[in-house]
Amino acid sequence: GGSDRLHPNAVGYDLLARIFADVLTNVDNVPPVTGRIEPRDDAQGVPATTPIRVDLYDFGTGIDLPATRLLINNQEVETPITGSSSKVEIRYDPPQPLTGVVFVGIRSRDMANPPNTIERTLAQFVVAGTTFLRGDIDRDGRVDGADLLAFAPRFGAREGDGRYRTFADLNDDGFIDGQDLALLAANFGR
């Protein structure tokens, strides 16, 4: 998504161009692409029993449905997949309440020969009631060098920028700057 989370960014426009080229030339070079993802990436305070939804599209040879898996915290979960080979909806109702930070991913491929594959994290969200030290960007329970490395590429981003993430805006002012870095430094090593 672009800065307004409505229009594509440069990478999104490139993907659209590749999809159109595949359709026009009848050659499938693009793996399945994601549509709607709920809860949205970087959502905070998500209820623990919220269903997870991912829409997946393929405009070429179609999605290989038996090879499509939803990943929650890097683990495959059993979930019904509905739709057709061109559009599927994956809906996961957690059997137990979710906790902490939840990573939603997908593993899939299309039916091209050779297949085009996708395996990646699509979104992460924080379940309501989860608390972290300011600066624990990777949400592993400590503030360390990994958090500093995760913070660095976000430095200078404003709310609405593609690089902006609420987890790096430690003082919630809509700008990731030196004040946020100072908050991270104050908890470094804890």
Side-chain angles (χ1 to χ4, degrees), residues 21-188:
D22 279 4
V23 170
L24 293 172
T25 60
N26 201 26
V27 175
D28 191 351
N29 291 315
V30 178
V33 295
T34 55
R36 179 185 307 189
I37 301 168
E38 294 176 352
R40 66 175 172 71
D41 186 33
D42 201 29
Q44 308 290 312
V46 174
T49 57
T50 295
I52 296 171
R53 176 181 172 175
V54 175
D55 291 346
L56 197 60
Y57 298 88
D58 190 81
F59 302 99
T61 56
I63 300 166
D64 184 350
L65 299 177
T68 301
R69 298 284 184 265
L70 183 68
L71 307 172
I72 303 297
N73 296 328
N74 296 318
Q75 300 294 315
E76 284 187 15
V77 294
E78 289 298 320
T79 185
I81 297 176
T82 59
S84 67
S85 64
S86 60
K87 179 194 179 222
V88 299
E89 179 183 315
I90 303 168
R91 185 176 169 103
Y92 177 68
D93 292 305
Q96 288 95 25
L98 300 168
T99 60
V101 178
V102 177
F103 294 87
V104 179
I106 193 77
R107 179 181 302 134
S108 186
R109 65 182 180 211
D110 63 15
M111 294 185 283
N113 188 11
N116 301 296
T117 62
I118 178 174
E119 182 170 345
R120 68 182 183 95
T121 299
L122 304 173
Q124 76 174 43
F125 61 87
V126 178
V127 175
T130 305
T131 59
F132 302 97
L133 284 172
R134 286 190 178 200
D136 185 7
I137 292 174
D138 63 5
R139 310 298 206 233
D140 67 353
R142 64 182 181 273
V143 181
D144 57 14
D147 298 301
L148 186 57
L149 289 173
F151 177 85
R154 313 273 182 229
F155 193 82
R158 292 185 179 280
E159 193 169 5
D161 291 346
R163 293 182 304 123
Y164 179 87
R165 295 290 185 273
T166 56
F167 61 75
D169 185 4
L170 303 178
N171 63 358
D172 299 320
D173 67 354
F175 186 57
I176 300 170
D177 59 7
Q179 293 177 5
D180 301 299
L181 181 58
L183 290 169
L184 187 149
N187 284 325
F188 199 83

